[in-house]
Amino acid sequence: MRNRCATCERLLQHLNDRRFVTGTDLGKELKISRAAVHKHIESLKASGLPVDGISGRGYRLARGVVPMDEAAIRDRLDERSTDLVSKIIVECIVDSTSSRLLQLSASESIHGVVCITESQPAGRGRRGRHWIATPFTNLLMSVGWVYESWPRDITGLSVAVGISLIEAIRSLDIDGLGMKWPNDLVIDGKKTGGILIEVSGESTGRCTVVVGLGINVRMGGDDGRSIDQPWTDLETVRGQAVNRNELAAACLSALCRMLQAFPEAGFEPWRIKWADVDVLTGETVSITTHQNGVSTEGVVTGLDTTGALLVDVKGQGIRSLLSGEVSVRAR
Ligand code: BTN
């Protein structure tokens, strides 16, 4: 499912959560009939927009809903990243922002291309899981990047992405985030965000990376009930509203800077920073191998120079685990 309706996007720019705007006024602004306004509002509602329509007063967004906006994100990018972002696609509804970039990469370069959506009915998590996010109140973003040859430390990329994101979020005075290797952003052991990295290309040639990022900003209770692990969201932890455009810009700036520097800098600068975000070292974990589903227990001792997790397994010594091969669960 995909919806790129320019009228809906313009309508969103004229709706807000503070006052009602009448269908007639919206029609005048957009040069369309009141009936057409109604039709487009219904289509936005179908993609999950929480909007009140009251006869005689018009339309108003639910409290605290501020739509994602390309210009607002661009304005907030840091100076060093502005030129690194080639295109920002903001949609109301897309099956999956990462799938969208992967499809696009079949016909054009997705280097520096960003896809953000308000609603993602087929959002993908790691290992084929579904990523659940209440529409219009969370951050769902993917960033495409193309390397002319494979960066030597590509196995450490997900840790570098996670640290960059946590630093960016901390810079907005949102504290408490840590990283559970290899791809979870957590607060007090509760999942707050997830990273999905997909890499494709010939082993000796060009390599295309899609970094998908889902951050719980404000989850609705009903959606939260379907999540099968402890979770939280940034607004609950912070106790106040989070500006999603500011959050997107901070994350995007940090990601682009990191992705740009990664081939030359490698994983080492990120390995050094790992201790600032790591929530697993010293913990007893259960490790499940994807290939055969076998589980073992061990104590996490750190990361190696490639970003693999080091776990001390009784009777086996230190094992080094690659992110694509295992799931790790704190005991
Ligand atoms: C995980 O924790 O399993 C990773 C979740 C990644 C979710 C994001 S949301 C934006 C992007 N598009 C997707 O379909 N998935 C990622």
Side-chain angles (χ1 to χ4, degrees), residues 34-112:
R34 244 180 68 183
V37 168
H38 178 75
K39 196 187 101 201
H40 287 290
I41 294 274
E42 286 306 308
S43 140
L44 283 165
K45 275 169 131 176
S47 61
L49 181 73
V51 58
D52 302 324
I54 295 185
S55 165
R57 297 188 71 187
Y59 302 99
R60 184 172 68 179
L61 295 181
R63 220 180 145 86
V65 171
V66 178
M68 300 298 298
D69 178 52
E70 185 204 336
I73 298 169
R74 271 215 177 269
D75 280 354
R76 291 171 166 86
L77 287 177
D78 76 11
E79 223 173 287
R80 282 176 296 163
S81 315
T82 319
D83 293 342
L84 301 176
V85 177
S86 55
K87 194 193 306 184
I88 303 178
I89 305 165
V90 177
E91 303 274 24
C92 287
I93 183 163
V94 172
D95 265 352
S96 150
T97 53
S98 290
S99 302
R100 174 80 189 280
L101 286 188
L102 288 169
Q103 282 154 13
L104 206 60
S105 73
S107 56
E108 59 188 79
S109 168
I110 55 163
H111 188 66

Side-chain angles (χ1 to χ4, degrees), residues 87-270:
K87 194 193 306 184
I88 303 178
I89 305 165
V90 177
E91 303 274 24
C92 287
I93 183 163
V94 172
D95 265 352
S96 150
T97 53
S98 290
S99 302
R100 174 80 189 280
L101 286 188
L102 288 169
Q103 282 154 13
L104 206 60
S105 73
S107 56
E108 59 188 79
S109 168
I110 55 163
H111 188 66
V113 178
V114 181
C115 181
I116 295 175
T117 191
E118 296 282 14
S119 168
Q120 189 178 237
R124 296 187 288 109
R126 274 180 85 230
R127 302 181 56 218
R129 298 171 85 162
H130 182 209
W131 183 257
I132 298 167
T134 307
F136 286 89
T137 56
N138 291 290
L139 181 60
L140 303 163
M141 172 164 91
S142 296
V143 182
W145 211 261
V146 179
Y147 293 114
E148 284 314 313
S149 59
W150 287 62
R152 61 194 148 101
D153 289 344
I154 193 100
T155 49
L157 194 61
S158 109
V159 168
V161 167
I163 298 173
S164 315
L165 293 173
I166 292 175
E167 287 180 344
I169 297 170
R170 285 179 182 165
S171 77
L172 301 176
D173 284 334
I174 303 174
D175 295 322
L177 270 165
M179 185 169 179
K180 177 178 162 276
W181 183 94
N183 74 315
D184 287 357
L185 305 184
V186 294
I187 297 180
D188 287 337
K190 297 177 188 159
K191 185 138 172 174
T192 316
I195 299 159
L196 178 70
I197 298 196
E198 292 167 295
V199 185
S200 57
E202 300 289 320
S203 59
T204 52
R206 182 176 286 187
C207 145
T208 299
V209 178
V210 173
V211 177
L213 159 70
I215 297 185
N216 298 341
V217 178
R218 188 196 316 158
M219 289 291 288
D222 285 350
D223 299 298
R225 271 189 279 282
S226 343
I227 302 178
D228 61 357
Q229 58 181 310
W231 61 270
T232 189
D233 61 37
L234 296 183
E235 291 197 348
T236 302
V237 172
R238 194 188 198 200
Q240 71 186 80
V242 170
N243 178 328
R244 291 185 303 145
N245 289 305
E246 190 174 50
L247 178 68
C251 291
L252 191 51
S253 298
L255 270 182
C256 289
R257 286 197 312 267
M258 185 279 295
L259 289 165
Q260 170 84 350
F262 196 75
E264 214 174 302
F267 181 61
E268 186 55 16
W270 304 101

Side-chain angles (χ1 to χ4, degrees), residues 280-298:
L280 278 185
T281 297
E283 295 289 318
T284 301
V285 294
S286 156
I287 312 152
T288 309
T289 316
H290 295 164
Q291 209 181 12
N292 52 20
V294 172
S295 292
T296 20
E297 250 184 44

Side-chain angles (χ1 to χ4, degrees), residues 2-68:
R2 202 176 119 187
N3 181 0
R4 292 199 70 181
C5 169
T7 310
C8 289
E9 278 157 29
R10 286 178 54 222
L11 253 181
L12 275 175
Q13 287 164 0
H14 292 278
L15 290 171
N16 65 71
D17 66 339
R18 292 172 301 282
R19 58 183 180 82
F20 281 95
V21 190
T22 66
T24 309
D25 286 349
L26 286 168
K28 275 188 199 149
E29 287 287 351
L30 272 71
K31 302 197 173 38
I32 57 175
S33 68
R34 244 180 68 183
V37 168
H38 178 75
K39 196 187 101 201
H40 287 290
I41 294 274
E42 286 306 308
S43 140
L44 283 165
K45 275 169 131 176
S47 61
L49 181 73
V51 58
D52 302 324
I54 295 185
S55 165
R57 297 188 71 187
Y59 302 99
R60 184 172 68 179
L61 295 181
R63 220 180 145 86
V65 171
V66 178
M68 300 298 298

